[in-house]
Amino acid sequence: EVPVIEVLGHDFGFPFELLPLFDMESDPPSSIQRPDQLASAMRRFVGYGALVQRETSAAHHADTVGATPLRIRFLRYAMPGAESEYNFLSTIKDMEVEGPWPPEGLTQSTVVQKLVDALINPRLVLGEAEEPKECDPPAHVVHFACHCNTDKPFDGDWEIQLGGPVSRLKVITLYDLRQGFLQGATSASIRPLVFMNACGTSVINATTSASFQRWFLAN
C-alpha cells in the first residue's frame, strides 16, 4: 500500500493534482467517480506516490462575485519595488487601486486605527480624512508591499512597516491587529483577501506558531 493524502473539504470532486497518468483534457473514465476509486486506479501505475485533493470552496459572498471593478487597497513602504507593483496593478483593466497608502500627513496612531478599522470593515475608505467614509463594493484585496520586522522576541511586537524612512515610518504591530479585532470585529463581517509582499513574513514563532499570515488567515 502507498499513501493517499486528502485535504478534506466541502468539495469531493475534481480537481486533483495528478501525475500525468490520465488525459485531463477529457473527463475521467466512467469507472472513476470518487477519490477512493481514483486512488485504486492510480495504484496500478509504477512510481505512484500519493493522491492530493485540494479543497475548492463553493461558498462566496455576494459582494465579491462578479464585482466590477475589483477594488485593490494598496498599502506600502515607499521604495522602488512597491512603486513598480502599484504602477503594474494600476494598469490592469477592471481593477480599481486605492492608494498608495498611507499619505505623509497621518500620525502613527491614526494610521493604526484607520488600518485596523478598514480591515474589520472593508467598506471604509482609507485616506487622509479623519471622519470615516464608506464605499461600495467593499475592498476585495488588501495588498501590502512593505517591510516587516519579525526579529523581536515577543510576537506581539512584530511590525508591519508602512510609510517611508525615518519620520514617515508608520508601524502596525501584531498586537495592534489582535486588540483591534478583539474589540471591534464580529464573525459576520465580510473580509478581503490579504496579500503580503513583505520581508520577514515567512518567519514563524517556533514556540507558538504565530505569524502574520496565520493571523490573517484566522481572521
Side-chain angles (χ1 to χ4, degrees), residues 10-217:
H10 300 294
D11 176 67
F12 292 98
F14 289 86
F16 295 106
E17 287 187 355
L18 299 176
L19 294 170
L21 305 178
F22 299 110
D23 176 10
M24 298 309 290
E25 295 298 319
S26 59
D27 292 332
S30 58
S31 61
I32 299 177
Q33 301 295 327
R34 304 190 311 271
D36 62 305
Q37 293 171 334
L38 178 63
S40 295
M42 291 181 67
R43 283 195 178 103
R44 296 178 302 165
F45 292 90
V46 175
Y48 167 70
L51 162 67
V52 179
Q53 179 182 346
R54 300 294 185 187
E55 177 182 348
T56 56
S57 173
H60 300 282
H61 197 283
D63 282 341
T64 63
V65 177
T68 303
L70 187 70
R71 287 193 61 212
I72 308 293
R73 180 162 286 163
F74 192 84
L75 314 178
R76 61 88 178 93
Y77 181 93
M79 52 186 171
E83 183 178 349
S84 64
E85 282 189 45
Y86 174 77
N87 292 337
F88 169 74
L89 293 172
S90 299
T91 63
I92 298 177
K93 183 182 178 182
D94 296 330
M95 184 176 287
E96 180 182 284
V97 182
E98 175 188 341
W101 194 87
E104 291 188 35
L106 295 183
T107 64
Q108 165 70 28
S109 59
T110 302
V111 166
V112 172
Q113 188 63 55
K114 289 176 76 70
L115 176 56
V116 171
D117 289 347
L119 286 171
I120 292 174
N121 178 9
R123 288 190 172 88
L124 290 177
V125 178
L126 288 175
E128 296 192 67
E130 292 293 331
E131 293 299 318
K133 295 186 295 183
E134 292 193 359
C135 176
D136 278 313
H140 303 108
V141 178
V142 175
H143 183 110
F144 288 90
C146 60
H147 289 310
C148 184
N149 178 10
T150 53
D151 293 335
K152 297 184 178 180
F154 297 104
D155 54 55
D157 295 328
W158 291 358
E159 300 171 344
I160 296 173
Q161 299 178 347
L162 302 175
V166 195
S167 62
R168 293 192 294 131
L169 176 65
K170 311 301 179 188
V171 171
I172 298 90
T173 66
L174 190 53
Y175 175 83
D176 293 330
L177 296 175
R178 288 168 173 164
Q179 287 299 110
F181 269 64
L182 187 64
Q183 296 170 8
T186 65
S187 59
S189 299
I190 302 165
R191 296 283 186 265
L193 171 70
V194 175
F195 185 94
M196 292 201 74
N197 185 8
C199 297
T201 54
S202 63
V203 175
I204 297 175
N205 187 312
T207 58
T208 67
S209 297
S211 65
F212 277 107
Q213 60 268 40
R214 181 186 179 96
W215 185 87
F216 278 119
L217 285 169

